[in-house]
């Protein structure tokens, strides 16, 4: 039985622990702040695809991961007995002008080639339903690949599933066996110190939770804002992207702007009360893609970092390729994701 130490109990660390324990490894997860304490403890949880055009390895990897998500979370929920909040209910986007309408129709064609029969991107006339974004053209994009979950709930579901397999999250402890560093912004800063230029940095995001029960409605992306209906009768809206900030855990007027844009785009939210405001720092690699693989100058150590805005969507596939690498020495990581590509 292989010994694996995972440092970091965010979505990457917990998902990789799950993949490794399923393959029979002995896993220790260490995080001094506890599970989901960083950006993985957010509130939005949009699992949305890149547009189906200019296809590349990152988009193909993401497609595979989004398709893996439903069985991944179903098994986690079954073993741990706690819901993750996962739902593949699709996404609506307003089309702003004639040029956007033509582009959306072109993407409907390309999605059929790139996504096959696994998901659909379609252009539809708005039908006046209350849960829909305002559209200047009267047309909406609907894709069936997008899904969502509640980040905190999902992390708790993984913790419960791991606990059922005998794994608890420890606040400290020694390394045993291979060590996987999934430590978010702190991990990027550690890599920066060992390299001649910046490998990555933290980007602050702010989001809010509104009291509104949209049921099993699709998520909405409008005016740069994600609007996510959660199964607990709330709607999350977000987020900002701030490279310059003083207090990473404090919300401010920038979040007020996000809430206003969400209400303007989705009028049914006009009077929904704000019940929670959240701010945190997300790890962004210089390449904007996840950073995976061997730590270049530390034998036996590995990196899984840089989830930024797509960490939860990428997690099911990242967990498997990291387990392949660490347990079986099989490297299935796309070239653009490998840590060595950033050094």
């Amino acid at each position: 039985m292989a010994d694996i130490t995972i440092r970091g109990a965010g979505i990457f660390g917990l998902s990789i622990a799950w993949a490794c324990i399923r393959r029979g490894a002995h896993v220790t997860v260490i995080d001094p702040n506890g599970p989901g304490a960083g950006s993985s403890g957010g509130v939005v949880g949009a699992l949305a695809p890149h547009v189906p055009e200019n296809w590349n390895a990152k988009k193909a990897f993401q497609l595979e991961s989004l398709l893996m998500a439903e069985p991944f979370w179903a098994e986690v929920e079954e073993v741990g007995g706690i819901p993750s909040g996962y739902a593949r209910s699709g996404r609506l986007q307003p089309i702003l002008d004639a040029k956007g309408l033509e582009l959306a129709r072109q993407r409907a064609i390309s999605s059929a080639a790139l996504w096959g029969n696994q998901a659909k991107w379609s252009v539809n006339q708005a039908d006046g339903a209350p849960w829909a974004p305002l559209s200047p053209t009267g047309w909406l994009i609907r894709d069936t690949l997008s899904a969502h979950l509640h980040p905190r709930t999902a992390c708790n579901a993984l913790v419960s599933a791991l606990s059922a397999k005998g794994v608890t999250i420890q606040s400290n402890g020694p390394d045993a066996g291979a060590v996987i560093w999934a430590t978010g912004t702190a991990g990027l800063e550690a890599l920066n110190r060992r390299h001649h230029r910046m490998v990555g940095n933290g980007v602050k995001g702010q989001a809010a939770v509104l009291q509104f029960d949209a049921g099993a409605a699709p998520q909405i992306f409008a005016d740069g804002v994600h609007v996510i209906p959660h199964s607990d009768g709330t709607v999350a809206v977000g987020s900002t992207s701030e490279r310059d900030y003083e207090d990473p855990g404090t919300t401010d007027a920038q979040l007020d702007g996000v809430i206003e844009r969400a209400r303007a785009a989705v009028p049914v939210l006009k009077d929904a009360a704000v019940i929670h405001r959240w701010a945190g720092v997300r790890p962004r690699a210089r390449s904007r893609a996840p950073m995976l693989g061997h730590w270049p100058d530390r034998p036996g150590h590995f990196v899984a970092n840089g989830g930024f805005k797509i960490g939860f969507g990428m997690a099911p596939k990242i967990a498997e390729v990291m387990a392949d690498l660490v347990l079986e020495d099989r490297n299935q990581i796309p070239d653009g994701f490998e840590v060595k590509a950033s050094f």
Side-chain angles (χ1 to χ4, degrees):
M1 180 183 293
D3 281 322
I4 305 293
T5 301
I6 298 175
R7 292 196 172 270
I11 184 57
F12 280 5
L14 294 172
S15 297
I16 295 167
W18 178 245
C20 289
I21 202 73
R22 288 179 69 252
R23 299 192 194 190
H26 178 267
V27 178
T28 301
V29 181
I30 300 172
D31 194 316
N33 300 307
S39 60
S40 293
V43 297
V44 178
L47 312 183
H50 293 285
V51 292
E53 62 186 22
N54 301 322
W55 206 242
N56 56 35
K58 179 179 179 180
K59 292 184 178 183
F61 190 101
Q62 186 201 44
L63 173 62
E64 290 184 52
S65 193
L66 290 173
L67 294 172
M68 292 169 62
E70 189 163 8
F72 176 92
W73 290 109
E75 183 181 26
V76 167
E77 291 175 356
E78 181 180 2
V79 173
I82 293 180
S84 65
Y86 174 86
R88 184 176 163 184
S89 52
R91 176 179 59 172
L92 299 173
Q93 301 179 75
I95 299 175
L96 305 183
D97 52 33
K99 183 178 180 181
L101 180 57
E102 176 59 27
L103 182 58
R105 286 172 170 159
Q106 291 173 8
R107 288 172 173 168
I109 296 171
S110 62
S111 71
L114 297 169
W115 295 354
N117 60 5
Q118 300 170 107
K120 184 178 181 181
W121 173 294
S122 60
V123 179
N124 309 292
Q125 282 191 301
D127 60 7
W131 184 260
L134 294 177
S135 174
T137 61
W139 292 89
L140 298 172
I141 299 164
R142 171 72 185 264
D143 82 76
T144 63
L145 181 56
S146 293
H148 66 268
L149 46 66
H150 194 300
R152 294 178 184 175
T153 304
C155 286
N156 288 339
L158 274 166
V159 169
S160 182
L162 288 168
S163 178
K165 296 287 190 179
V167 179
T168 57
I169 314 303
Q170 302 179 18
S171 60
N172 56 64
D175 294 337
V179 183
I180 302 172
W181 293 83
T183 48
T185 301
L188 292 179
E189 291 172 349
L191 290 168
N192 287 338
R193 290 191 292 269
R194 304 174 76 96
H195 189 47
H196 65 277
R197 62 173 176 165
M198 188 179 71
V199 171
N201 63 292
V203 177
K204 181 179 177 180
Q206 299 184 44
V209 179
L210 281 58
Q211 188 69 63
F212 186 89
D213 190 349
Q219 63 182 278
I220 291 171
F221 184 68
D223 197 14
V225 177
H226 293 281
V227 182
I228 310 296
H230 288 309
S231 58
D232 62 358
T234 65
V235 170
V237 300
S239 60
T240 64
S241 291
E242 306 165 42
R243 293 190 182 187
D244 297 319
Y245 54 86
E246 293 184 1
D247 190 335
T250 299
T251 60
D252 55 36
Q254 293 189 68
L255 180 54
D256 295 333
V258 169
I259 297 168
E260 289 173 7
R261 282 152 54 202
R263 286 177 167 158
V266 189
V268 74
L269 296 176
K270 179 182 177 182
D271 298 320
V274 177
I275 58 175
H276 181 61
R277 298 165 70 94
W278 176 88
V281 180
R282 299 163 296 189
R284 177 188 180 276
R286 189 180 69 238
S287 67
R288 297 184 67 90
M291 293 179 61
L292 312 173
H294 296 274
W295 190 311
D297 56 355
R298 297 182 66 176
H301 290 245
F302 302 81
V303 174
N305 209 323
F308 193 35
K309 296 181 180 181
I310 57 175
F312 279 85
M314 291 286 208
K317 179 72 172 175
I318 283 174
E320 292 302 319
V321 299
M322 288 301 295
D324 287 342
L325 179 65
V326 177
L327 297 178
E328 302 177 23
D329 197 27
R330 288 193 301 122
N331 190 343
Q332 306 292 318
I333 301 168
D335 287 342
F337 289 22
E338 284 207 77
V339 177
K340 66 181 182 183
S342 300
F343 273 69

